[in-house]
Amino acid sequence: MELAFDRVEPAPLRGQTAHSQVWGHAIVFPAGSRTVVRAPSGAGKTTLISILYGLRSDYAGRIRLDGRDLRELGITEWALLRRRRLGLVPQDLQLFDDLTAWENVELKNRLTRHRARQAVEGWFERLGVGGLQRRPAGTLSLGQRQRVALIRALCQPFEMLLLDEPFSHLDEDNTRRAIDLVEAECAAGGAGWVLTSLAGDRGLAGERVMDL
Amino acid sequence: MYQGLGWVRLGGMAGGVMLGWWLLFGGVHLARIARQTLREQRDLLAPEYLIVNKPVGLAGLLKADTAGFTEAELDELRRQPFVRSLAPFQAGRFAVRASTGDESLVPGLESDLFLEAVPDEYLDFEPAQWRWAPGMTEVPIVVPRDYLALYNFGYAASRNLPTISESLIRLVRFELRLEGQGQEAQMTGRIAGFSQRLPTILVPWSFLEWANGKFGPGASRPSRVILQTDRPSDPALAAFLAARSYQCNAEQLRAGRRAWMMRLLLTVVGGFGLVVLGLALWILGLSIELLVIRNTDRLRRLILLGYHPSWLAWHYVGLLGALLLAVNLSALLPLHWLARLAAENLERAGYAVEPIALWPTLALMALASFGLVAGPGAWIRRQVIRLGEGG
């Protein structure tokens, strides 16, 4: 999956994007590429992810996904994209607080039928949230919730994984384990990723680091 | 997805719709029963013939002809949508005196008569030998059945005369003396039958034509008209007659007015049911809208995960469909029971009730249900899809 930006400028940031390496430029995220987008708060990290995931279209310029304008995609195409090609760990995680951690993951896995139960349980153990599967997501700490959201994102086939400050509440140890898991899954599927992070934040080692 | 949809709320919604549904389709079904019963009633009791005449007023004293219908007035009547056909009465314009001979069964009766005729197709009887041709001296006569009753229970009783049966009176012959234009003729009259519909003394059309030509003073306007109508209950008929101040034998009109009142009443009941149902559905619509709004966040999250908005919307439509299905099933028994109750009551009131099929009402219910699922369904789908697009 290749994403090509052509002078994209989100409406809320109009006129404030002079120093950006992303907004207003022609850039390409090639298939399988690994990109870290760094920016301080308020520079549009979440806006970028939202635009890429089809959640907002209030921007100038054009984005092409494998040559097709994102704006041309209908609801059915977006639904299929989000099931089969485009993964997401949103910054606000979007978990259902009243459902258990396991049910939250199942909500995705039942839709895609992508992962075996054992594999998913293995990820819970690997990320250190193995004992929390039956706990309502609302009762978990932010760091625990981030890991649940990550597991959920992996329960689908994807060519590009969008990660919006995914490790902001994890300690170094847990961040390392999460990064290892993402690296392993992306490598297995030949997928790329776009990760946003606060300036100077530690994270995945991307091929390319851009300042937003 | 169904958060905020308590069982109490769901039950209340279902109950409201159910009540409206019962009222509306109970009303529809009752209306169908009533219509069928009334239709048969009209066929049975109300003959579709009306006798119309102009009122007798002061003008009649001055000039005899003003009480008659002009050709233009007859044409106007003919053109009315409720008139299938009409014919003017032909009145005898000569003096007639009838007397029973001494050797008769009812001796010593003598009376002046007035003869009228209508075309044969307006008669309500088929008397034997209702024929007359010039040269025949015997004239068949039809009298109102009431006359016989009048004689039997009034005249004969007060004079100690024997009562006469219908078949016996057919054997009576009496003399008719026709007089006019300076001419005179003697003929024999014979009672050929009795009429319920026509309150006059009738003779065959051909006879009166001949006799008027011979004894009458020339043409005159018909004073009475018999008309045949498909719709004796049509309010337009009564309105027309009133507007022209024509008079008619009003019994049929009164029956028609009763039917009209009945229809009005049923329309009001049906309308009431429609209003109740409308309110219930409005509340149902609001509830579903509330349900969608309350779950906006969850729906958005599910769309975010890759669930198709249409697929999500289908769940709500399915809920609506299930609700209406339950309501429809719940209406079956009350409808059946209502139909039986109505039939029993109508029968007790003396109406002949044909059993009426339930399925047209059910088909109507199914059609209405489909509309009520499809319409809001499309709306719900649009709402949910908008959630997906709005982001």
Side-chain angles (χ1 to χ4, degrees), chain A residues 53-55 75-76 79 82-83 88 90 94-98 104 106-108 110-111 152, chain B residues 3 297-311 381 385 388-391:
Chain A
Y53 202 64
L55 299 178
I75 47 164
T76 304
R82 290 166 188 172
R83 270 186 233 174
L88 170 72
Q94 300 280 359
L95 295 176
F96 292 86
D97 284 350
D98 53 335
N104 266 289
E106 267 297 289
L107 212 49
K108 182 90 190 190
R110 228 183 312 156
L111 181 68
R152 182 177 68 180
Chain B
Q3 206 174 44
D297 245 23
R298 312 183 129 249
L299 288 169
R300 246 185 216 144
R301 238 169 260 173
L302 287 171
I303 294 169
L304 190 88
L305 287 181
Y307 285 86
H308 198 291
S310 296
W311 188 84
R381 188 169 171 274
I385 285 174
E389 285 169 345

Side-chain angles (χ1 to χ4, degrees), chain B residues 58-121:
Chain B
L58 197 58
L61 286 175
L62 305 171
K63 193 164 179 285
D65 258 7
T66 52
F69 287 93
T70 65
E71 220 21 70
E73 285 168 334
L74 288 178
D75 270 348
E76 187 194 20
L77 256 177
R78 257 184 215 110
R79 277 198 309 273
Q80 297 308 311
F82 44 78
V83 174
R84 196 198 283 168
S85 67
L86 65 80
F89 278 67
Q90 185 181 193
R93 296 185 298 275
F94 48 87
V96 183
R97 194 159 187 81
S99 58
T100 52
D102 289 339
E103 71 277 20
S104 168
L105 275 167
V106 272
L109 279 178
E110 192 167 348
S111 174
D112 283 329
L113 287 187
F114 172 76
L115 300 178
E116 280 187 298
V118 294
D120 285 357
E121 64 262 30

Side-chain angles (χ1 to χ4, degrees), chain B residues 20-266:
Chain B
W21 207 251
W22 287 4
L23 268 176
L24 178 69
F25 286 101
V28 167
H29 197 62
L30 270 186
R32 288 186 53 227
I33 292 176
R35 240 183 80 194
Q36 167 137 349
T37 308
L38 279 179
R39 190 185 299 143
E40 282 176 7
Q41 214 57 27
R42 208 159 61 199
D43 290 347
L44 283 175
L45 288 186
E48 296 163 342
Y49 292 90
L50 295 174
I51 294 165
V52 178
N53 60 270
K54 287 185 152 186
V56 179
L58 197 58
L61 286 175
L62 305 171
K63 193 164 179 285
D65 258 7
T66 52
F69 287 93
T70 65
E71 220 21 70
E73 285 168 334
L74 288 178
D75 270 348
E76 187 194 20
L77 256 177
R78 257 184 215 110
R79 277 198 309 273
Q80 297 308 311
F82 44 78
V83 174
R84 196 198 283 168
S85 67
L86 65 80
F89 278 67
Q90 185 181 193
R93 296 185 298 275
F94 48 87
V96 183
R97 194 159 187 81
S99 58
T100 52
D102 289 339
E103 71 277 20
S104 168
L105 275 167
V106 272
L109 279 178
E110 192 167 348
S111 174
D112 283 329
L113 287 187
F114 172 76
L115 300 178
E116 280 187 298
V118 294
D120 285 357
E121 64 262 30
Y122 291 92
L123 299 176
D124 58 342
F125 55 88
E126 197 66 52
Q129 293 148 1
W130 183 245
R131 292 280 143 142
W132 191 88
M136 291 171 71
T137 56
E138 195 178 87
V139 183
I141 292 177
V142 163
V143 296
R145 185 159 277 125
D146 291 345
Y147 282 22
L148 185 61
L150 207 60
Y151 170 82
N152 275 337
F153 306 117
Y155 189 78
S158 66
R159 304 262 172 116
N160 254 337
L161 290 168
T163 55
I164 314 173
S165 73
E166 276 193 24
S167 50
L168 194 61
I169 207 173
R170 283 171 210 269
L171 302 175
V172 175
R173 298 286 184 279
F174 46 88
E175 284 177 3
L176 289 174
R177 204 163 59 245
L178 316 177
E179 232 184 289
Q181 303 292 77
Q183 300 202 55
E184 220 182 279
Q186 188 86 16
M187 310 201 79
T188 307
R190 168 178 63 84
I191 303 284
F194 299 89
S195 170
Q196 197 89 283
R197 181 190 299 160
L198 298 156
T200 187
I201 300 168
L202 289 168
V203 290
W205 186 268
S206 51
F207 169 71
L208 208 56
E209 219 161 37
W210 169 81
N212 271 338
K214 191 162 183 194
F215 307 106
S220 75
R221 292 175 188 169
S223 56
R224 300 210 281 181
V225 166
I226 181 164
L227 63 85
Q228 194 185 16
T229 174
D230 299 328
R231 297 176 261 167
S233 56
D234 192 341
L237 172 57
F240 177 81
L241 294 181
R244 296 286 179 283
S245 51
Y246 293 161
Q247 296 175 333
C248 82
N249 43 350
E251 188 47 42
Q252 289 98 318
L253 281 188
R254 233 168 274 141
R257 230 165 277 149
R258 270 200 299 275
W260 185 77
M261 281 297 291
M262 183 80 174
R263 210 169 302 156
L264 183 73
L265 199 70
L266 278 171

